Amino acid sequence: MPSRDPLLMASHSDWHRSLAEAIRDPLVLLQSLGLPRSLLPAAQAGAGTFPLMVPRSYLARMEPQNPADPLLRQVLPLSAELVDAAGFSHDAVGDQSARRAPGMLHKYAGRALLIAAGVCAINCRYCFRRHYPYGIEPRRMEDWEPALRELAADSSIHEIILSGGDPLMLTDARLSQLLGRLAEIPHLSRLRVHSRLPIVLPDRVTPPLIELLTQHSWATYMVVHANHPRELSEDCRLALRHLVRGGMTVLNQAVLLRGVNDNADTLTRLCEDLVNLGVLPYYLNQLDRVAGTSHFEVPVETGKALIAELRRRLPGYAVPSYVQEIPGELHKTPVV
Ligand SMILES: *Cc1c(COP(=O)(O)O)cnc(C)c1O
Ligand code: SF4
């Protein structure tokens, strides 16, 4: 079969247009929000190590002229990213030692994770995979053969997790091909998709996509990623409702981030808004200590106090598990 890059095969649907129109230039971001040009040199320096990328729909949810806006903080590069903080490294979560085949990470019992795409629709400055060597992972369908063989040979694996990058950056055609091959493996009974696109590029959620994800015999889980209640704009809420009505279980994971969501009122509103949409708060992740992200770190003691406060305010099912990824551990570790 001839190989084609999924992004080059893109049709001119709405979500591809939204992606093409995303902001990639720090100056345009600052100008769009009426922010001072004095922020530009730092933004350019930070973007040199990990590019800036912000969809227009996400930009529209920010408060103009507020350099401390919690959504802006997630995407605006700062000179703090260039600080070489002790204890912060390039592979903080030990991904490389869990790599069992090209594109396949196997850390935890019963679950294998595929780096299905090396790109995202938004570049989150705190990203735990901001230094991930995506260049070594599969791009063409035939590059997946070793991972597919490995999965077919290991009947202890029951759940396949599509991750990245963002797996929904693949076209429907490519996703359908990959899922079709995975569906042939009889011991896979659950599909999980980890994606931030329903939040940051909601027009990616279409009826054909939902059909694609739910058509096989497996139970489908979608784990989205929102950190602040203001990310749940009207278009995003609609996308989340579609996913829930489409028959999948939708969960949210958030990262505890300084200056973004490190207070009880913000987290309460986020969790409450999510459960009102039928989305369950799954994890609140302690920041992975990845180089360039130390300015986002919140002390674990603060995180524990925040969770305790959420328990006083919310039903049990609306309180996420506060977890940390410790390399070498056999599961994400609860912070207690
Ligand atoms: C986080 C992660 C998972 C999923 O862990 P859950 O606790 O089941 O959500 C699976 N594989 C890898 C490599 C991971 O990093
Ligand atoms: S969407 Fe996820 S993988 Fe992509 S940049 Fe943000 S945190 Fe990283």
Side-chain angles (χ1 to χ4, degrees):
M1 204 178 244
S3 58
R4 299 197 191 92
D5 185 312
L7 294 178
L8 295 179
M9 285 169 63
S11 66
H12 294 283
S13 59
D14 291 343
W15 74 273
H16 284 111
R17 194 162 31 246
S18 301
L19 204 54
E21 289 169 356
I23 295 171
R24 293 170 176 81
D25 180 345
L27 180 61
V28 175
L29 177 62
L30 296 177
Q31 285 174 339
S32 307
L33 292 166
L35 288 168
R37 225 190 147 92
S38 57
L39 297 169
L40 187 60
Q44 282 171 334
T49 59
F50 181 49
L52 175 125
M53 176 86 159
V54 190
R56 299 268 169 185
S57 140
Y58 196 77
L59 175 81
R61 306 170 211 175
M62 294 178 192
E63 191 189 348
Q65 290 166 327
N66 179 7
D69 180 85
L71 277 58
L72 178 69
R73 274 188 67 84
Q74 295 180 53
V75 298
L76 178 67
L78 302 176
S79 52
E81 293 178 26
L82 306 174
V83 171
D84 199 2
F88 285 73
S89 66
H90 278 220
D91 183 17
V93 298
D95 272 345
Q96 287 314 304
S97 52
R99 193 165 174 267
R100 257 179 64 181
M104 174 184 169
L105 306 182
H106 187 199
K107 272 188 196 172
Y108 305 139
R111 289 147 288 171
L113 181 149
L114 300 185
I115 303 289
V119 286
C120 293
I122 188 168
N123 283 345
C124 313
R125 307 316 300 176
Y126 54 85
C127 180
F128 71 123
R129 291 207 178 110
R130 59 179 283 163
H131 307 288
Y132 192 91
Y134 290 116
I136 64 172
E137 301 302 20
R139 297 183 64 86
R140 302 161 310 170
M141 197 55 216
E142 59 260 42
D143 301 337
W144 284 109
E145 295 304 330
L148 289 165
R149 270 198 302 277
E150 192 79 18
L151 288 168
D154 187 344
S155 61
S156 76
I157 297 173
H158 302 299
E159 175 168 341
I160 193 75
I161 303 173
L162 299 189
S163 181
D166 199 307
L168 296 187
M169 288 294 277
L170 297 179
T171 59
D172 287 359
R174 175 54 72 86
L175 261 179
S176 166
Q177 257 183 324
L178 185 58
L179 293 177
R181 291 297 304 281
L182 291 166
E184 289 167 7
I185 302 173
H187 48 266
L188 292 182
S189 40
R190 294 188 303 278
L191 167 69
R192 196 195 312 184
V193 179
H194 279 195
S195 175
R196 189 144 154 75
L197 263 66
I199 306 296
V200 303
L201 201 80
D203 46 12
R204 178 66 186 97
V205 176
T206 60
L209 177 73
I210 292 169
E211 166 64 19
L212 192 71
L213 297 174
T214 54
Q215 68 184 334
H216 299 291
S217 62
W218 46 43
T220 303
Y221 291 78
M222 172 77 72
V223 183
V224 299
H225 170 182
N227 299 311
H228 190 280
R230 211 173 344 107
E231 288 175 54
L232 306 175
S233 55
E234 208 39 61
D235 50 351
C236 167
R237 285 166 195 259
L238 205 61
L240 293 172
R241 283 202 195 91
H242 279 304
L243 293 173
V244 171
R245 288 200 195 119
M248 53 194 105
T249 301
V250 185
L251 307 167
N252 182 67
Q253 57 176 339
V255 183
L256 183 57
L257 298 167
R258 193 156 103 207
V260 174
N261 58 10
D262 56 340
N263 65 83
D265 288 344
T266 299
L267 285 176
T268 304
R269 203 148 39 87
L270 173 66
C271 293
E272 185 127 42
D273 288 355
L274 286 167
V275 294
N276 288 344
L277 292 163
V279 177
L280 291 173
Y282 177 41
Y283 281 154
L284 177 67
N285 294 287
Q286 177 66 12
L287 184 81
D288 296 316
R289 304 190 99 190
V290 166
T293 68
S294 62
H295 54 295
F296 281 114
E297 193 170 54
V298 177
V300 159
E301 289 312 314
T302 307
K304 287 199 265 190
L306 288 169
I307 291 288
E309 184 59 27
L310 291 186
R311 279 195 209 295
R312 285 190 283 272
R313 296 184 184 187
L314 292 168
Y317 63 83
V319 180
S321 300
Y322 181 33
V323 296
Q324 187 165 19
E325 184 158 354
I326 301 174
E329 290 291 324
L330 297 175
H331 49 79
K332 305 261 191 274
T333 308
V335 182
V336 286

